[in-house]
Amino acid sequence: MPTTRRRGMTEQAATAAIDQACRALRLPTIRAQFPDIAETAGRDQMSYHGFLAELLMAECDDRARRRSERRIKAAAFPREKSLRGFDFDENSNVDPAVIHALATCEWVKKGLPLCLIGDSGTGKSHLLIALGTEAAMAGFRVKYTLATKLVNELVEAADDLMLTKTIARYGRVGLLCIDELGYMELDRRGAELLFQVLTEREEKASVALASNESFAGWTKTFTDPRLCAAIVDRLTFGGNIIETGTESYRLAHSRRVQDDAARERRKR
């Protein structure tokens, strides 16, 4: 049906019509922000084109924000971590320029791996989650998991004859973040299943991994030397390796807090 141009509508009728149209067209941001943007447009004598652009850009920006929030939620990060919250001064082993270059997500776009290696408390999990969050905000599908949890899921899937489907599901995400590799020894079957996931993603989609063991120590996790070498090869070829060091800055921070509190008590 041809549209009918409505002339001579009162302000109240026009406002009601805008509200109704926004509901029908599912434009919640325009519906919510229209009164304020209209007031600003009138005060600043904005053109009709400028006013419409402000409304549409507000809707687009809010939709992009909501999509990012959904991707971050779907990633299943255990806690919120950001690059802004990482204290580079406390960990001189980590080069801020390298991390901020990784935050552009070019490595994710190219399907390259990332390995974060360091002792507990050195910030590797913080960086893993923060860079994963940056990737989700950049539009990539991201999935976070613990190494042992992933292996257990793969073993159960194999027992239920669902392994191919499970590996394919992990293969579809743009970035797979695997945390806490090296804390537990994996039996041969578990290691082989993890190897299948890595092979499925090789040179197609990125894997970011955090481990408390150096590559030389991975034989404690993957007891088959040949399989261990193959896994290391897939996680390092063409990728980035960030060594976060051996000194826990979490522990150092806690000690400083305790020392500061003790000094305050002595002053009293």
Side-chain angles (χ1 to χ4, degrees), residues 7 19 132 228:
R7 299 179 181 275
D19 185 87
C228 180

Side-chain angles (χ1 to χ4, degrees), residues 24 91 147 150 193 199 244 255 262:
N91 193 334
L150 173 58
L193 292 173
T199 300
T244 57
R255 286 173 176 169

Side-chain angles (χ1 to χ4, degrees), residues 114-125:
L114 167 66
C115 291
L116 297 154
I117 310 294
D119 283 1
S120 296
T122 57
K124 60 187 183 297
S125 291

